[in-house]
Amino acid sequence: MGKISTYYKGDMLFESEMGNHKLVIDVPPAMGGRDRGPTPPEVFVASLGSCVAAFVAQYCERNDVNTADLSVDVAFDKADDPSRLVNLKVTINLPHGECKQRKAALQRVAEHCPVHETISTLGGIEIEILDKVTRLAA
């Protein structure tokens, strides 16, 4: 079983330890944060984007699809009552990769990222594949 420990460093600053790595996490200014690190929701969104990117890159490299300038953008809104992230939209950009014949495969790859799988079992995320761009929306 994996384990990540988060320690309160005072002044609304936190540090999470993940194996040999540490990540400083701050809170929004309304909670006393001072932009010393990403906020918890930003870390969550970044984990989705990086997980999808890693799975797509691995698939592309195994199938000789050009990954130059591969990027993943995750847009989201914040809702209140209850406070949560909504309207997650992940866009995978493969500007130099030929994807027309691989849309279904790219969709399956994106759907099987562990972070996406976890989110989709909790609330459902629909995925739409476009030319050279993959979009995931919730």
Side-chain angles (χ1 to χ4, degrees):
M1 174 179 284
K3 178 183 171 187
I4 296 174
S5 299
T6 300
Y7 301 95
Y8 182 50
K9 304 308 256 180
D11 196 31
M12 295 307 290
L13 187 67
F14 301 85
E15 183 177 84
S16 291
E17 291 183 2
M18 300 156 261
N20 295 323
H21 308 282
K22 294 181 180 182
L23 177 64
V24 172
I25 301 168
D26 206 347
V27 296
M31 294 178 65
R34 296 190 320 220
D35 199 26
R36 298 163 289 187
T39 64
E42 290 170 332
V43 173
F44 173 78
V45 171
S47 88
L48 173 61
S50 60
C51 189
V52 169
F55 273 60
V56 168
Q58 181 182 46
Y59 170 83
C60 289
E61 289 178 0
R62 287 182 177 169
N63 290 281
D64 295 321
V65 175
N66 189 340
T67 58
D69 300 320
L70 164 67
S71 66
V72 175
D73 300 316
V74 183
F76 60 96
D77 294 315
K78 187 169 185 271
D80 295 318
D81 198 24
S83 181
R84 66 201 181 284
L85 302 179
V86 296
N87 302 323
L88 291 163
K89 291 182 176 48
V90 176
T91 303
I92 301 166
N93 302 295
L94 276 167
H96 306 289
E98 180 54 51
C99 301
K100 289 180 182 177
Q101 302 299 319
R102 301 181 185 274
K103 287 183 184 182
L106 283 170
Q107 181 169 346
R108 284 191 304 274
V109 167
E111 288 173 342
H112 287 88
C113 148
V115 176
H116 175 266
E117 289 267 19
T118 300
I119 295 168
S120 66
T121 59
L122 296 174
I125 291 181
E126 296 178 19
I127 299 173
E128 179 183 357
I129 305 293
L130 305 174
D131 281 355
K132 296 188 182 182
V133 177
T134 304
R135 290 202 172 148
L136 291 80

